[in-house]
Amino acid sequence: NKGVTNMSPFEKRMKDLQAINVTTKKPADFEKFWNDAKKNVAEKKLTVKKKKIDYPIEKVEVYEVLFDGLDGTEICSFLILPPEAKIKKVPAVLFCHGATGSKGLPHMYSTHTLMGMAVLAIDYRMQGGKTGSASGFGEGPISIATLGILDKKTYYFYHAITDAFRALRFLKSLDCIDSKRIAVEGGSQGGGTVLTLAGLDPDLKLCLADVPSMCWMEKRVYDGSGGAREIAQFIRRRPENKEKVFETLSYFDNLNFAPKIKCFTLISCGLSDPVCPPENVYAVYNKIKAPKKICSYWFGEHDGGAHLHADVKIQYLKNILFNRRVTNNNDCYRNYM
């Protein structure tokens, strides 16, 4: 009978997500714009201030590190080194936090340092951490999602991405870091940033992107999901700027970075996420050509798989950064490995 299906609602949901294929709107000068940005990141002198912190967990070395963004803004970060870094080169993870958050506190990264990895955790500018901004922003409301949105060179996320790229440059400059074993990790806004970094840096070894933002931005604005609601409200008030807004967003949409990713990419997705909806996440995931895996959590919201997925990430870090195959038969996540 027509219209009759034996698929459960769960099966149909997954089949629909896996079939998403969005036509991208990549600007003609997209490659030049980001190649110029990468050149600026590489060539502009990197000024670093590093201060050791007397931290109660004595087995690790903790430093507060300030390094300059392209505009001279001092980006505040924690560098945390495991004991192994005193005797050999170690792999490293760059962490990018979610919107309105911060780099947190050093103990939050103990799992990674216990595994023998170094950690660099950065504060986005003008959010919950210590990083300010030396740059003003062009026209746009006072919202992270809309600051400077009428010009790709003044847009907030141009600074956010190049700041993170400068962080990678700093990590690679350290004698104790194995530059061939660097991973990037983040959630929400941070998840979107690390996908972009993976598209820009072919030397990364692993990308761990949780419930990532900056995916299929036209749909996010249309739906008004998460921070994109602020963009939608700006267009509502200033409809004459709609085309310019979407032009700017196209330079930062991970739909255009996904095909460029070379490293293994692990993505988490909450199938009930109202902030970074699964349709947006899958639209980007489906365009990644590199080795990849997506863990989709039924009824997961913007926490994705939460502590269950944290355990999955640990295994991928061990498998890929240390080239040691580790599996766990815990029923909560064994099907994702």
Side-chain angles (χ1 to χ4, degrees), residues 61-332:
E61 291 186 358
V62 181
Y63 297 88
E64 182 179 64
V65 176
L66 301 176
F67 61 91
D68 57 334
L70 290 180
D71 62 351
T73 296
E74 285 193 332
I75 312 302
C76 189
S77 65
F78 281 136
L79 173 65
I80 311 165
L81 300 176
E84 292 89 337
K86 295 179 180 178
I87 56 175
K88 63 180 180 179
K89 290 182 179 290
V90 296
V93 183
L94 171 66
F95 275 88
C96 298
H97 62 76
T100 75
S102 74
K103 63 185 179 302
L105 296 169
H107 75 267
M108 296 165 59
Y109 307 99
S110 296
T111 297
H112 295 74
T113 53
L114 280 170
M115 292 175 69
M117 289 177 277
V119 170
L120 182 66
I122 63 173
D123 279 335
Y124 282 109
R125 56 179 68 199
M126 301 172 64
Q127 296 197 28
K130 294 183 177 181
T131 301
S133 182
S135 284
F137 295 88
E139 188 176 357
I142 306 302
S143 161
I144 295 302
T146 54
L147 282 173
I149 199 168
L150 296 184
D151 187 331
K152 60 183 178 291
K153 292 185 178 180
T154 66
Y155 190 34
Y156 177 88
F157 284 99
Y158 176 76
H159 294 289
I161 291 165
T162 54
D163 291 345
F165 217 81
R166 296 276 278 178
L168 280 176
R169 178 181 166 187
F170 166 67
L171 258 184
K172 292 177 182 180
S173 74
L174 298 174
D175 291 338
C176 63
I177 301 300
D178 183 346
S179 62
K180 294 182 179 179
R181 291 190 293 159
I182 293 180
V184 288
E185 181 174 350
S188 193
Q189 180 179 300
T193 299
V194 299
L195 283 175
T196 300
L197 291 176
L200 290 171
D201 188 344
D203 296 327
L204 291 176
K205 189 73 172 177
L206 173 65
C207 176
L208 304 173
D210 293 331
V211 293
S213 181
M214 304 307 289
C215 295
W216 195 5
M217 288 304 295
E218 275 195 344
K219 180 168 173 55
R220 280 200 74 197
V221 173
Y222 179 81
D223 293 339
S225 60
R229 180 182 298 274
E230 299 292 337
I231 302 173
Q233 290 302 314
F234 176 51
I235 295 172
R236 178 185 178 186
R237 292 189 294 269
R238 300 282 301 277
E240 71 275 12
N241 289 320
K242 179 172 75 74
E243 295 305 319
K244 187 62 181 175
V245 166
F246 284 117
E247 177 189 337
T248 297
L249 290 175
S250 67
Y251 287 89
F252 301 89
D253 195 324
N254 278 309
L255 283 173
N256 292 323
F257 289 103
K260 295 164 60 66
I261 294 175
K262 302 296 183 185
C263 65
F264 191 99
T265 301
L266 175 68
I267 294 178
S268 70
C269 176
L271 292 176
S272 297
D273 188 347
V275 179
C276 296
E279 289 79 8
N280 299 68
V281 175
Y282 268 85
V284 167
Y285 176 78
N286 292 345
K287 290 193 177 295
I288 297 173
K289 300 174 183 177
K292 61 184 179 178
K293 185 72 177 177
I294 188 166
C295 298
S296 296
Y297 294 90
W298 290 107
F299 310 112
E301 299 186 4
H302 198 48
D303 60 350
H307 63 283
L308 297 179
H309 191 66
D311 230 15
V312 175
K313 289 189 292 184
I314 289 170
Q315 295 194 45
Y316 276 92
L317 285 163
K318 191 70 173 181
N319 293 347
I320 293 174
L321 292 193
F322 293 89
N323 194 28
R324 179 181 171 188
R325 183 65 185 170
V326 179
T327 59
N328 188 309
N329 290 322
N330 187 317
D331 286 336
C332 292

